[in-house]
Amino acid sequence: MIEKYLEWMRVRRCVHASIASARRILFMWRGSGLSGPSLIDSVAQRMACGRWSNATAASYLSQLATYLRFCDALGYETEVPVKINQVEYVRRSIKRPTGPARRSLSVEQFEHLLNTAYLSVARCSLSGEQRAALYLFAARTGLRASEIASLRSSDFRRYQGRWWVETPAGKSPPARLPLAAATYSVIWPTFLLKYATREFVFPVGKQAARLLRRDLAAAGIPYKVNGRKFDFHALRVQMACDLRDGWCPKRLIQIMLRHRTSRAT
């Protein structure tokens, strides 16, 4: 049943990281023989010894809850011996930490970062030109690193005279985002053409944040200023700030960032 659920996630176009996370957590709990009370003890023990953070525990429990709902909707018997209400009770009892404060760069700083990355040596099998194209693509689309890593060449389509990118389902619902012709012309030779035969055209993952931090250091741009850092996720902030500075309405920024509520924006 777990394999059917994972196949459903692939058909639904969930991000690759979410599928891997679901596989890990479901197979771990399938053979554990956990009941409702022991589930609470198991989660608390992993959090107490530092193996899981609050965010990790909440994410894994959310995956388990979605799987149980999937089995219940189709009338299948699940291999995980817990009830949906027990999982939801444990998940809601976990206090989610607030995200780190992030900042954006000025136009001059961002251009300097791109130029520095473009002229630097290859890192983690990505050339300087590819890293500069990756940062520009993330800052112009607002896609997260996990979403970029799950993009296929078929997700880039031309419709009504302009390019669009189909985003996978992850922390935000899937959507079709406009892609400027200048941005497409940058990622076409560096990724779409070079990795056209691969399943995923952007060979990035957890190393994306590390690559950006190294390029920031090479460009002489501080990673953290007054407690606000510039990591790979801050490229979403960069896009939002660029739209705001261009007098873009808040509602449109929310749509581009794919936030469910305006409060998140």
Side-chain angles (χ1 to χ4, degrees):
M1 192 57 220
I2 293 178
E3 290 296 342
K4 290 184 179 179
Y5 172 69
L6 297 175
E7 182 61 30
W8 172 78
M9 292 186 71
R10 296 187 191 97
V11 172
R12 189 170 169 258
R13 286 296 324 280
C14 294
V15 297
H16 184 67
S18 296
I19 299 175
S21 173
R23 175 183 292 276
R24 182 167 56 251
I25 193 65
L26 293 176
F27 276 102
M28 182 190 72
W29 260 319
R30 183 179 68 171
S32 63
L34 287 178
S35 61
S38 59
L39 170 65
I40 301 174
D41 297 336
S42 174
V43 173
Q45 183 180 6
R46 284 179 167 86
M47 292 173 63
C49 68
R51 291 179 59 188
W52 286 1
S53 65
N54 287 23
T56 300
S59 175
Y60 281 178
L61 289 170
S62 179
Q63 289 279 9
L64 180 59
T66 305
Y67 168 70
L68 293 175
R69 290 194 192 93
F70 172 81
C71 295
D72 184 64
L74 297 180
Y76 290 122
E77 191 166 331
T78 174
E79 302 97 325
V80 182
V82 290
K83 303 296 183 183
I84 181 65
N85 58 340
Q86 295 170 334
V87 177
E88 288 293 346
Y89 172 78
V90 180
R91 186 176 67 86
R92 289 173 184 150
S93 65
I94 297 175
K95 184 178 180 182
R96 295 293 297 268
T98 57
R102 294 182 171 93
R103 77 182 202 278
S104 63
L105 302 180
S106 65
V107 176
E108 294 76 14
Q109 284 180 318
F110 189 66
E111 289 181 354
H112 181 52
L113 171 64
L114 296 181
N115 291 333
T116 303
Y118 186 89
L119 297 174
S120 62
V121 298
R123 295 192 180 100
C124 296
S125 73
L126 289 181
S127 66
E129 182 183 5
Q130 287 178 311
R131 296 199 309 278
L134 174 65
Y135 304 152
L136 180 65
F137 177 70
R140 293 296 177 263
T141 60
L143 293 176
R144 301 174 179 88
S146 60
E147 295 168 338
I148 293 176
S150 301
L151 289 175
R152 298 177 172 88
S153 57
S154 59
D155 293 328
F156 295 86
R157 300 179 182 179
R158 191 171 180 84
Y159 177 71
Q160 292 185 349
R162 70 176 307 166
W163 285 99
W164 300 79
V165 56
E166 301 276 353
T167 65
K171 292 184 178 180
S172 300
R176 178 187 290 175
L177 299 178
L179 191 62
T183 305
Y184 182 82
S185 65
V186 170
I187 64 172
W188 163 250
T190 53
F191 289 103
L192 298 180
L193 182 62
K194 185 173 183 179
Y195 301 112
T197 57
R198 295 190 181 184
E199 181 180 7
F200 304 113
V201 294
F202 288 92
V204 297
K206 294 183 178 180
Q207 75 269 22
R210 185 170 65 251
L211 290 173
L212 178 59
R213 191 161 185 172
R214 289 183 179 178
D215 287 325
L216 283 172
I221 301 173
Y223 174 71
K224 185 178 290 187
V225 176
N226 297 328
R228 303 173 69 87
K229 65 181 184 179
F230 189 85
D231 56 2
F232 197 89
H233 194 83
L235 292 170
R236 282 170 59 83
V237 180
Q238 185 72 35
M239 186 190 76
C241 292
D242 290 344
L243 292 175
R244 180 201 61 190
D245 295 341
W247 298 94
C248 183
K250 185 177 180 180
R251 173 59 181 165
L252 182 56
I253 299 177
Q254 177 187 344
I255 294 174
M256 291 298 295
L257 292 177
R258 292 162 294 126
H259 285 157
R260 289 182 173 88
T261 63
S262 59
R263 182 179 179 182
T265 307

